[in-house]
Amino acid sequence: MPVIFSHPASLEHDTGYGHPERPDRIRAIEQRLGARDWLGWERREAPSADPEQLLAVHPQEHVDRVRELSERGGAFDLDTPLSPGSYEAALRAAGGACALAEALVSGGERVGFSALRPPGHHCERAQAMGFCLFANVSIAARHALDSLGAERVLVLDWDVHHGNGTNAIFHDSREVLFASIHQYPFYPGTGPLEDVGSGDGAGFSLNLPVPAGAGEDVFCALVEHVVLPAARQFEPDLLLLSAGYDAHRDDPVGGCSLETGSFAEMTRQVLSLGVPVGAVLEGGYDLAALAEGVETTMETLAAGGEPGSHPPEAVSERAREVLGNYWEL
Ligand SMILES: [Zn+2]
């Protein structure tokens, strides 16, 4: 049975009036899933990430600073305020991602979801930013590699923003193949196609920028013609999705034009790799689009199905030129 991790602590991270990354995001998801008996998925409480898991990615000073700023209600930057409940929420968000990796790598599950906040993909080793306090997906990937016996982890980040944190953390690593489809130029400004990783990790960062307005044809062409062929050569033991829903056309922050069904199609595409898939919630700020996006991702993860075929687009052809130096695309 597929498994979904959550925790009430996600509701106690108070970002203040008018902030898009708000507790109502989780309420909207849980209300929609609750009305359908959580699609029959097994619900599990997300544990707190333990210090060892956090410290495999973040220095102690960063963990201390998240705790201190949470206690006194400070902020890392204007986008990234904390409240007394933020530290616990952040520990559970990272812990849920780790528990999800465990369920998939050593627990025998094939698919799962970690639906907590705050998100994580903008957080670098020693720098919280962009609503993110701990690097949830990176922590889970590191946990899978260090403690669960995984040798290679694929991260696909389809949030509308570049996952600069994940990218920086694994920039020089061959253990993680990081693929990100993101609006560009856009916040946080990183992630050009030419940033392919560095050192041993050259070629292991697949940065796939798309122009504002890009829709399903472009996203799915990039997955089909770039991400999937590279992933097949990489042979991951685990796929973690940085599952943001702010590339939906109704999102007030992002400027792309995916439909709810686009997330189902991308999910079918990644399932075709035949490796366990764990989705970890990132952004998504239109409550209805977010809840529907999570729901359709879960439905598709459980049901599977054949993806369609998507003709190459200008951006996928350009990406093949650059990344074809590292992979047979
Ligand atoms: Zn985002």
Side-chain angles (χ1 to χ4, degrees), residues 121-122 159-161 244 246 253 282-285:
H121 71 151
H122 293 308
D159 188 282
V160 79
H161 302 98
D246 43 9
V253 174
E282 301 283 1
Y285 306 102

Side-chain angles (χ1 to χ4, degrees), residues 25 119 121-122 130-132 157-163 186-187 244-247 251 253-254 282-285:
R25 298 177 63 233
H121 71 151
H122 293 308
F131 316 164
C132 301
D157 185 329
W158 71 38
D159 188 282
V160 79
H161 302 98
H162 179 236
F186 200 44
Y187 181 89
Y245 295 89
D246 43 9
D251 193 89
V253 174
E282 301 283 1
Y285 306 102

Side-chain angles (χ1 to χ4, degrees), residues 119-307:
H121 71 151
H122 293 308
C123 184
E124 301 185 357
R125 284 189 190 280
Q127 184 60 58
M129 59 181 276
F131 316 164
C132 301
L133 301 178
F134 293 136
N136 306 325
V137 164
S138 294
I139 292 166
R142 200 65 260 168
H143 179 55
L145 293 163
D146 293 343
S147 305
L148 304 177
E151 293 182 6
R152 287 172 302 279
V153 177
L154 168 64
V155 174
L156 173 59
D157 185 329
W158 71 38
D159 188 282
V160 79
H161 302 98
H162 179 236
N164 61 292
T166 319
N167 198 183
I169 288 163
F170 294 108
H171 203 255
D172 59 0
S173 169
R174 317 169 72 87
E175 292 173 301
V176 171
L177 178 63
F178 172 74
S180 176
I181 305 175
H182 47 272
Q183 185 177 333
Y184 186 90
F186 200 44
Y187 181 89
T190 46
L193 175 60
E194 294 73 21
D195 179 6
V196 298
S198 55
D200 275 355
F204 289 76
S205 294
L206 311 180
N207 279 308
L208 305 169
V210 301
E216 179 171 328
D217 290 350
V218 170
F219 276 67
C220 288
L222 285 165
V223 174
E224 179 173 331
H225 301 290
V226 181
V227 179
L228 293 182
R232 287 192 196 97
Q233 291 156 61
F234 180 64
E235 297 185 332
D237 304 302
L238 171 67
L239 165 50
L240 293 175
L241 286 176
S242 258
Y245 295 89
D246 43 9
H248 191 283
R249 68 162 65 248
D250 292 343
D251 193 89
V253 174
C256 286
S257 52
L258 296 185
E259 310 276 356
T260 298
S262 310
F263 297 102
E265 179 64 0
M266 289 194 290
T267 302
R268 283 187 289 271
Q269 288 183 301
V270 299
L271 282 171
S272 74
L273 290 170
V275 299
V277 179
V280 179
L281 184 65
E282 301 283 1
Y285 306 102
D286 179 81
L287 297 182
L290 169 66
E292 288 170 23
V294 171
E295 176 188 40
T296 200
T297 302
M298 288 172 59
E299 275 184 320
T300 311
L301 282 172
E306 283 294 308

Side-chain angles (χ1 to χ4, degrees), residues 41-64:
W41 285 39
E42 179 188 339
R43 293 186 66 190
R44 289 191 205 163
E45 186 167 273
S48 290
D50 63 40
E52 198 179 330
Q53 291 165 341
L54 295 172
L55 295 175
V57 167
H58 299 296
Q60 182 70 53
E61 296 70 37
H62 177 74
V63 178
D64 292 344

Side-chain angles (χ1 to χ4, degrees), residues 51-115:
E52 198 179 330
Q53 291 165 341
L54 295 172
L55 295 175
V57 167
H58 299 296
Q60 182 70 53
E61 296 70 37
H62 177 74
V63 178
D64 292 344
R65 193 153 156 72
V66 173
R67 193 186 64 243
E68 288 159 13
L69 285 175
S70 176
E71 282 167 2
R72 63 180 161 90
F76 281 97
D77 57 38
L78 283 176
D79 288 336
T80 319
L82 292 81
S83 70
S86 298
Y87 184 58
E88 171 77 5
L91 289 177
R92 298 281 177 176
C98 288
L100 174 61
E102 276 172 30
L104 297 169
V105 178
S106 40
E109 308 290 348
R110 295 301 293 175
V111 296
F113 209 109
S114 183

